[in-house]
């Protein structure tokens, strides 16, 4: 069965970076895109970008283009999302989600990133 | 501010039907057959309940249905059950620079 397992909770100071991982199993890793979506406390879902897990090509939401990098390591079926220069309002749960032809059919469990001085 | 507009809340009694709207533009919902809906319980990851405007994944009850007209998509929950109380989000692919846009979410309360 398809599973996406994300890395654990992170606490960071403003200005630091964080990298969240998403390990996939149960399907051919490189056959799909992976998207990253975040959810600030009490707020809605926000699309951050996507990565082609085969080629490594990326598309980022304009808001995140300067500070977010998505990568992948097909040898261990893992996708990564790094946010640099963290701000307090980057505090959110970050989700990876598998793309099945333009919809998200499987989601990771979420990773809470707290940014606080 | 979300790109797609949803009502912040909706409610109904058990057994009733409720419809949640999701309004976009001619550059997203109006131009896309890739509208999907997600159900989210507090503290949990979202779950796909509708894809490609009106298709239901296996395992999703047929009480959930959806459609699209022009720039507005709609999700209908028929025969409301207590377990339907959750947040619901619409999403669409867009021809803008940002590939995907979400609605702000609707909190469905079963009275």
């Amino acid at each position: 069965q398809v599973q996406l397992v994300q890395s654990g909770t992170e606490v960071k100071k403003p200005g630091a970076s964080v990298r969240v991982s998403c390990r996939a199993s149960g399907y051919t890793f490189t056959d799909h895109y992976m998207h990253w979506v975040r959810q600030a406390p009490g707020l809605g879902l926000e699309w951050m970008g996507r990565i082609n897990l085969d080629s490594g090509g990326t598309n980022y939401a304009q808001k995140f283009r300067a500070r977010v990098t998505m990568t992948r390591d097909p040898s261990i079926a893992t996708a990564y999302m790094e946010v640099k220069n963290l701000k307090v309002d980057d505090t959110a749960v970050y989700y990876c989600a598998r793309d099945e032809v333009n919809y998200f059919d499987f989601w990771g469990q979420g990773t809470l990133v707290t940014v606080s001085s | 501010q979300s790109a797609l507009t949803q009502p912040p809340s909706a409610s109904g009694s058990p057994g009733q039907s409720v419809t949640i709207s999701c309004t976009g533009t001619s550059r997203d919902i109006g131009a896309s057959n890739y509208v999907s809906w997600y159900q989210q319980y507090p503290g949990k990851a979202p779950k796909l309940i509708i894809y490609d405007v009106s298709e239901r994944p296996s395992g999703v009850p047929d009480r959930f249905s959806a459609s699209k007209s022009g720039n507005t998509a709609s999700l209908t929950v028929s025969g409301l059950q207590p377990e339907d109380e959750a947040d619901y989000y619409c999403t669409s692919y867009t021809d803008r620079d940002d590939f995907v846009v979400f609605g702000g979410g609707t909190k469905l309360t079963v009275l």
Side-chain angles (χ1 to χ4, degrees):
Chain A
Q1 71 283 20
V2 174
Q3 278 194 304
L4 302 177
V5 179
Q6 297 184 222
S7 48
T9 298
E10 301 268 9
V11 180
K12 297 290 184 181
K13 293 195 183 304
S17 298
V18 69
R19 190 175 81 157
V20 178
S21 66
C22 171
R23 179 170 46 88
S25 60
Y27 72 100
T28 301
F29 182 72
T30 51
D31 279 355
H32 295 261
Y33 281 80
M34 192 75 79
H35 295 247
W36 290 88
V37 176
R38 79 176 188 181
Q39 186 170 36
L43 298 183
L45 302 172
E46 183 174 30
W47 185 75
M48 300 179 68
R50 68 174 186 176
I51 181 168
N52 181 322
L53 297 176
D54 186 20
S55 68
T58 53
N59 302 99
Y60 299 112
Q62 189 171 7
K63 173 178 179 177
F64 298 106
R65 213 158 282 169
R67 296 192 298 127
V68 169
T69 303
M70 296 176 188
T71 57
R72 91 281 185 240
D73 185 343
S75 69
I76 55 171
T78 299
Y80 301 95
M81 190 279 303
E82 181 179 25
V83 184
K84 302 180 183 65
N85 190 19
L86 284 163
K87 307 175 193 314
V88 171
D89 59 6
D90 289 320
T91 294
V93 175
Y94 291 77
Y95 294 101
C96 58
R98 190 182 83 158
D99 183 322
E100 175 60 46
V101 194
N102 302 318
Y103 54 89
F104 310 137
D105 60 347
F106 289 95
W107 294 66
Q109 83 276 21
T111 296
L112 174 62
V113 176
T114 301
V115 185
S116 172
S117 56
Chain B
Q1 187 176 355
S2 302
L4 305 179
T5 301
Q6 298 181 234
S9 63
S11 63
S13 300
Q16 288 187 331
S17 293
V18 169
T19 296
I20 297 170
S21 63
C22 171
T23 301
T25 71
S26 59
R27 299 190 66 183
D28 38 65
I29 291 179
S32 176
N33 289 324
Y34 302 127
V35 178
S36 50
W37 290 87
Y38 301 86
Q39 177 190 60
Q40 186 182 36
Y41 294 112
K44 299 294 187 183
K47 173 192 170 186
L48 176 70
I49 57 171
I50 295 286
Y51 67 96
D52 292 356
V53 176
S54 59
E55 299 298 313
R56 246 186 346 267
S58 62
V60 174
D62 60 6
R63 302 183 291 102
F64 292 91
S65 62
S67 62
K68 186 189 87 163
S69 177
N71 298 336
T72 298
S74 299
L75 172 72
T76 297
V77 187
S78 305
L80 272 173
Q81 307 272 337
E83 61 264 31
D84 298 333
E85 185 162 297
D87 294 326
Y88 292 84
Y89 293 90
C90 60
T91 187
S92 173
Y93 270 66
T94 171
D95 67 2
R96 295 189 194 86
D97 217 11
D98 291 4
F99 275 76
V100 176
V101 287
F102 276 96
T106 298
K107 181 175 181 57
L108 175 60
T109 301
V110 181
L111 302 169

